[in-house]
Amino acid sequence: MDYEELGLKAGIEIHQQLDTREKLFCHCPTVLRDVEERNGEFFRYLRATVSEMGEIDRAAREEMMVMRPFTYYAYDTTCLVENDEEPPAPLNPEALELALTMARMMGMTPVEQVHVMRKLVIDGSNTSGFQRTALVALNGMLPLGARIESLCLEEEAAQRVEGVTFSLDRLGIPLVEITTAPDMHTPEQVQEVAAYIGMLLRSTGRVKRGLGTIRQDVNISIREGARVEIKGVQDLALIDEVVRREASRQVNLIGIRDELLARNASIDELTHDVTALFSETGSAILKRAKYIGAVCLRGFAGCVGREIQPGRRLGSELSDYAKKCGVGGLFHTDELPAYGVTQEEVETLKSALGAGEEDCVILVADAKKKAVCAIGQVQRRAAIALEGVPEETRKMLEEGSTAYMRPLPGAARMYPETDVLPETVSSSYVAALEVPELLTEKEDRFIREMDLDPALARQLAYSAQVGLFEEVVRAGVRPNLAARTILATLRELSRDGVPVEAIGEEDLLGVLLEVERGAVAKEAIPDILRALAGGMDMPSAVQSVAPGISDEELTGIIRAVLSERVDFVKEQGMRSVGPVMGVVMQEVRGRADGKKISDLLKKEIQAML
Amino acid sequence: MRNACTRAGVDSITQLAPGTRVSCTFAGAPTEGTYITDRDGKAVIKLDNGYNIGVEPASLAFLSKGEPSPPFRADVAQNPQLPELSIISTGGTIASRVDYRTGAVTSQFTAEDILGAIPGLADIARFRAEVLASILSENMTAGIWKDLARAVYRDIRNGVEGVIVTHGTDTMAYSAAAVSFMLETPVPVIFVGSQRSADRPSSDNVMNGLCSAAAATSDLGEVAMVMHASTNDDACAIHRGTRVRKMHTSRRDAFRSFGMAPLGTVQYPSLDVSLSGEAKRRRDDEPVLHGTLEEKVGLLTFYPGMDPALLFAYERCRGLVISGTGLGHISAEMIAGIRRLTDAGTTVVMTSQCLNGRVCDRVYDTGRDLLAAGIIEGEEMLPEVAYVKLMWVLGQTDDTEEIRRMMETPLRGEFGRCSAHGL
């Protein structure tokens, strides 16, 4: 696809959880829990409220079409603030400091007085019915040339467990929302900018890591299309695919529009009760239904079933809208006969609605109120198909296609959080913030100054243990030893089920310094770490695993080994060093350095020859 | 980093009216917004993306006058087939709205606005509505209690099936007790409030409001309070107006009945009302108003080490309720002061900080000395309820024996003869 010709415009919003000690508006820890650990549970309803402008937000109104009781799980690490049973604490100063640091890294201008707002969200993911958010800085620029429009500090929403059940452990974890200008014009650019911002945020060393801790929303439009916001792209590797599929969806919707207009397509206003037509049907869903509503979309035949992106048809869009009324889905005649509905039933249905070859009939089976509501939604979405692409908030499905979530929210969803006082940000405070080294700079420095292999340097710079690595190197451990121990040895031990997190950083440093001093052989490192993880202290661990071995003792061991292999050594000469070395190492078991053993062994063999 | 906004011409915040369109050159890029208010020396502007930020007032430039926003009015159609209720509004969170000038939550709705704010009320009854006061409930006075009792009495006389009083939750229990004593009512008089402000989607105002209307059309025949029974949105408890107390600063289920189980519940969203055998039932007789209160009454919480001289402050009072320790005690060194008050004609009633349980001043020496000094045991009464009751009793009679008899007799279910177990 020629994205330039399509007029592709894309921007991203990056949501990154911050690794602060406390949550954004309460003093609870920012830890995630297993739902099995919950110690409380309650349920609530949410209602859209009128904004300060006297309007109800369109996205909120749609969420309200079905009143659902939302269930929440509480833990011994959550409090009444998450339960929406207590006013919020003041804005977490640690989170504000970190957000301002990030703003500085992107050359942004901080807001002089930060005001916390309430952003209406009534899908249940916030117990209050709003997400607290504050605009912290504006207008920055990345080296890649992408403009950053804004940086907001927000509270994370509750995690959906399933359906309308949410877990409160995540609610209130601070996150930054970074919004770029819609400056990107190809799927690859979008991915590049997202990756760069992710790297920049991780350079602070104070962001959460792991799946779900960073999420990208992508805003996409093409020239004849509309702005669509795709929520929750968790996998960076999928971003370009999401952009490609959305561009193609918009192109196909525009194609369908042109075809519908050419056919002079229209939407019937009347909803038909066709329940009786299916009283003897072989379709279990229809036979069971209390009520079946139908509407005819004139001139839509073939378009409803047409694929607009992998796995998605115009019919899927109609179905997403219908589901807002609480129905499970719909049938359309482009896909019938199927699902137990016969050709004969389709013909009876079509003739009942006066539908011809060019027309498509939509069926919804449910309680009458829900089904009638759903048919109304189908009519609304079908009418939009005659105009082209609707502005929407969509959610990402597996593989990168998307489904409709709700209309794009309007400005009516934002109003002041009156329970939190504004924070003044002085320029001297911002100027005093320490700007961390970028991970890319770190990677270069590791190669340049420590002579590390480029792949290893990169792996280290982006690893969670980079701080430990630098500390160990600063203390005098050779970078290669430090890197190997931290990246390889610790991971291997962990894979073997050794609780390496129990090893204190000081102990780890202590072991490495002993190795550098020559007091401990580096071959003994894994066993010493194993002992430390098991709760032993440093001196005992070293003593038990690798008690120091004197040169005399070592020489004695070597001579004993050689005395059993006199013929072999005499026959092989210096070539026997390798095989014999292995035997000696096994005897010594890490109590002496390999190089020292090898030197002594060579000397003894030479003496024998 | 440079100053966010470069200076552009508005010299003083006072030049700007809220709603004025302004521009501000932010970080080199021009930004437009709407001026909202001034806050700690900064001008608060709402950007077009909905966010508010505070900037240097001097950095703003005038663009255009704001459009006056049309006043928001809810049209509520009344169904003449439904029973008539009256809503008397005194203020509080259930009827609050954010004042976007100051950022504070204030009570400034009219009673009609409540109908608009709580969709569904109009399906339960038709309403007549009155704003009796628009106050935060900590500013409640005995004067307003008297006005309130008169207004409720008038509406019942005029034939409504029930009365709903919306009230801030802080002092709602005092007001419910005050109306309980001043008014003998044959129909439900329901106090209701909300703990989370009405401007949030999670507010308890809708559920509490609907449940209060259901209770007000029910078979109940006394003054009661209807509030969340638990943190869930599943039921409201109906509490007797003389047995209820706010027991949490912020939770939805802050109100608890003392010395008895609640009178009943209203299920949500079904709005099914169930009443216990204790609840007084709706009657056909006329309401009776005893609308006088003696305002020179005090309520004093005793604490260890309290200076007996503090009692002098109550010498001008006709009545004093003490919230004592345990079974109803204060320190021995205060007893002389109590005797001085009772000798001068002040009625002194003893209640307990325990809130649960009955006062008994016959067990320990201090108690016996207090009885000898003339105090009246407040039985099971909550200190606040005893305080309101004493104001009312002193408003009804000057006769010392009659005062004692009335204080020692349960008149509105404010205490029982037997202390209930199993609560």
Side-chain angles (χ1 to χ4, degrees), chain A residues 107-109 138-140, chain B residues 2-6 24-31:
Chain A
M108 304 182 75
T109 304
L138 285 161
N139 298 349
Chain B
R2 72 204 119 131
N3 198 2
C5 287
T6 46
C24 162
T25 303
F26 202 100
T31 304

Side-chain angles (χ1 to χ4, degrees), chain A residues 346-603:
Chain A
V346 173
E347 274 158 25
T348 318
L349 171 69
K350 281 195 148 184
S351 79
L353 270 73
E357 282 285 295
E358 290 236 299
D359 305 334
C360 179
V361 177
I362 309 287
L363 286 180
V364 180
D366 211 305
K368 183 170 181 184
K369 200 173 163 192
K370 282 191 195 173
V372 168
C373 167
I375 295 280
Q377 285 282 89
V378 167
Q379 289 165 319
R380 199 158 74 79
R381 179 62 186 87
I384 297 171
L386 300 176
E387 293 162 23
V389 185
E391 286 197 341
E392 288 171 342
T393 304
R394 303 179 64 85
K395 64 178 172 215
M396 199 191 85
L397 306 172
E398 277 172 42
E399 316 268 302
S401 288
T402 60
Y404 171 72
M405 266 176 98
R406 51 177 181 251
L408 278 187
R413 76 197 288 227
M414 247 349 170
Y415 59 113
E417 169 51 275
T418 49
D419 297 342
V420 178
L421 298 178
E423 293 286 341
T424 300
V425 176
S426 71
S427 43
S428 57
Y429 173 81
V430 176
L433 293 173
E434 205 174 306
V435 175
E437 182 185 32
L438 288 179
L439 296 183
T440 45
E441 294 165 0
K442 232 183 242 306
E443 180 185 338
D444 288 347
R445 181 163 57 82
F446 289 169
I447 297 170
R448 209 176 50 241
E449 292 178 7
M450 301 182 184
D451 202 23
L452 288 183
D453 168 70
L456 186 63
R458 182 177 171 77
Q459 198 191 349
L460 262 178
Y462 285 77
S463 78
Q465 293 92 359
V466 66
L468 174 64
F469 168 76
E470 294 211 76
E471 194 186 319
V472 167
V473 171
R474 252 196 311 276
V477 177
R478 279 168 297 144
N480 263 310
L481 176 64
R484 222 172 28 242
T485 309
I486 289 169
L487 286 184
T489 313
L490 282 179
R491 279 185 199 179
E492 280 158 19
L493 287 173
S494 175
R495 218 169 290 145
D496 286 351
V498 178
V500 293
E501 57 286 345
I503 303 169
E505 293 190 359
E506 276 165 33
D507 281 347
L508 181 71
L509 177 59
V511 175
L512 294 177
L513 286 177
E514 287 294 288
V515 172
E516 292 295 30
R517 207 161 57 80
V520 169
K522 63 177 182 296
E523 289 75 10
I525 292 175
D527 284 338
I528 296 179
L529 292 179
R530 211 181 276 271
L532 287 170
M536 220 179 260
D537 63 18
M538 248 286 281
S540 332
V542 170
Q543 192 55 37
S544 73
V545 174
I549 185 165
S550 66
D551 287 1
E552 292 76 44
E553 204 182 333
L554 183 56
T555 309
I557 293 172
I558 289 172
R559 284 183 184 157
V561 170
L562 288 175
S563 67
E564 288 166 18
R565 294 169 177 76
V566 176
D567 293 346
F568 175 72
V569 172
K570 293 226 157 131
E571 193 185 310
Q572 296 290 320
M574 286 315 282
R575 280 195 305 274
S576 66
V577 172
V580 178
M581 177 81 186
V583 182
V584 177
M585 290 286 278
Q586 237 173 7
E587 292 282 317
V588 176
R589 280 205 285 183
R591 288 154 66 206
D593 187 71
K595 188 164 181 316
K596 191 175 181 183
I597 298 172
S598 154
D599 289 348
L600 272 176
L601 180 62
K602 280 182 195 155
K603 215 166 85 186

Side-chain angles (χ1 to χ4, degrees), chain B residues 219 235 263 316:
Chain B
D219 197 33
L263 296 175
R316 287 170 44 247

Side-chain angles (χ1 to χ4, degrees), chain A residues 30 71 149 151 267 276 475 478:
Chain A
T30 60
T71 298
E149 283 183 347
L151 184 145
I267 293 115
R478 279 168 297 144

Side-chain angles (χ1 to χ4, degrees), chain A residues 41-54 67 80 83-88 104 108-115 117-120 122 127-130 132-135 137-139 150 152 154 177 411 414-422 424 427 430-431, chain B residues 1-5 26-31 36 39-44 46-56 59 69-70 72 98-100 103-105 119 195-203 205-207 228 230-234 248 250-253 268-269:
Chain A
E41 195 174 320
F42 60 94
F43 73 88
R44 302 265 172 72
Y45 298 91
L46 293 174
R47 286 156 211 90
T49 46
V50 171
S51 80
E52 56 191 316
M53 318 305 235
M67 282 288 281
L80 287 184
N83 288 16
D84 187 48
E85 288 276 40
E86 184 176 301
R104 260 197 90 177
M108 304 182 75
T109 304
V111 167
E112 296 166 353
Q113 192 183 51
V114 174
H115 288 252
M117 308 295 291
R118 297 170 174 176
K119 192 195 288 179
L120 206 62
I122 58 164
T127 45
S128 56
F130 50 74
R132 296 187 184 91
T133 173
L135 179 58
L138 285 161
N139 298 349
S150 64
C152 295
E154 305 191 323
E177 181 201 75
M414 247 349 170
Y415 59 113
E417 169 51 275
T418 49
D419 297 342
V420 178
L421 298 178
T424 300
S427 43
V430 176
Chain B
M1 215 159 292
R2 72 204 119 131
N3 198 2
C5 287
F26 202 100
T31 304
I36 302 283
R39 188 76 188 252
D40 307 329
K42 303 280 185 197
V44 180
K46 177 176 276 298
L47 303 179
D48 292 341
N49 60 12
Y51 279 98
N52 291 3
I53 60 173
V55 299
E56 279 300 323
S59 68
S69 53
F72 177 68
V98 175
D99 182 339
Y100 292 102
V105 180
Q195 284 282 81
R196 312 300 290 148
S197 59
D199 60 337
R200 56 178 65 218
S202 60
S203 174
N205 72 327
V206 171
M207 176 172 143
H228 261 66
S230 75
T231 194
N232 293 318
D233 283 351
D234 58 354
H248 199 278
S250 56
R251 279 180 64 130
R252 286 162 174 76
D253 56 353
Y268 186 83

